[in-house]
Amino acid sequence: MSAFADELVVERTIDAPRAVVWRVMTEHLPEWWCPEPWKAEPVALEWKSGGRFAIAMRGPGGEEHGGDGMLLEVVPETRLVFTNALGENWAPQVPQPVAIVGRIEIADTGDGRTAYRASARHWSEADTKAHAEMGFAEGWGICADQLAALATRMAEARDA
């Protein structure tokens, strides 16, 4: 249970070192950011606090969902914090589908693996409920699993 009332959370333990997980998170984002068979296409990725974080997500039937926002905090190998409530140049915008402050945090587990925690904080209980009903746990969980699989493969290849 989160200490923040209107937060949804996905957690995993990834069989790869934190440095590898970070590299996959930031250098291979299109490969894990949205559930397959959907594809993520970066529009703008500025890996710094205050940087733009815009991703187009395309479905197999031609569907498209945009995701435009700002990176609020970037702490290498530790944390990404972002929001869809602000767009380019810190301009307030109407977020889709609901306003969130997203956090992805990684930490060493002490045994060569990485603890992964992704969360979405919401402005209201109604937004939290709506996001949960849209499939937050399944969607963000699939993304976490895709990230974990890619990071594990990269760690194994590095050790081979």
Side-chain angles (χ1 to χ4, degrees):
M1 181 85 181
S2 169
F4 189 82
D6 291 310
E7 182 178 51
L8 299 171
V9 177
V10 167
E11 295 179 309
R12 299 288 189 271
T13 300
I14 300 175
D15 290 325
R18 184 172 64 176
V20 173
V21 174
W22 181 261
R23 198 170 98 226
V24 171
M25 284 172 55
T26 58
E27 296 176 16
H28 297 272
L29 186 132
E31 299 171 56
W32 68 272
W33 185 256
C34 61
E36 291 181 351
W38 284 68
K39 300 294 179 196
E41 180 181 315
V43 174
L45 291 176
E46 300 170 14
W47 294 113
K48 62 181 183 177
S49 298
R52 189 164 177 218
F53 187 72
I55 311 291
M57 294 174 281
R58 294 188 169 83
E63 313 91 329
E64 186 172 328
H65 294 286
D68 197 2
M70 296 289 296
L71 287 164
L72 302 174
E73 182 181 34
V74 177
V75 180
E77 296 189 19
T78 303
R79 176 176 46 257
L80 295 174
V81 181
F82 57 94
T83 185
N84 62 351
L86 298 170
E88 190 171 11
N89 297 318
W90 296 86
Q93 63 184 9
V94 177
Q96 296 299 322
V98 295
I100 67 164
V101 172
R103 296 171 58 93
I104 299 176
E105 299 168 291
I106 59 174
D108 292 325
T109 61
D111 59 0
R113 300 185 306 158
T114 300
Y116 170 90
R117 184 180 194 275
S119 65
R121 292 181 176 184
H122 302 83
W123 271 243
S124 69
E125 183 179 343
D127 284 352
T128 307
K129 182 179 178 189
H131 200 184
E133 290 173 353
M134 283 179 227
F136 168 87
E138 180 182 14
W140 285 44
I142 290 170
C143 293
D145 293 340
Q146 291 172 171
L147 170 68
L150 184 56
T152 300
R153 284 193 308 272
M154 289 184 83
E156 289 170 353
R158 188 181 74 167
D159 292 339

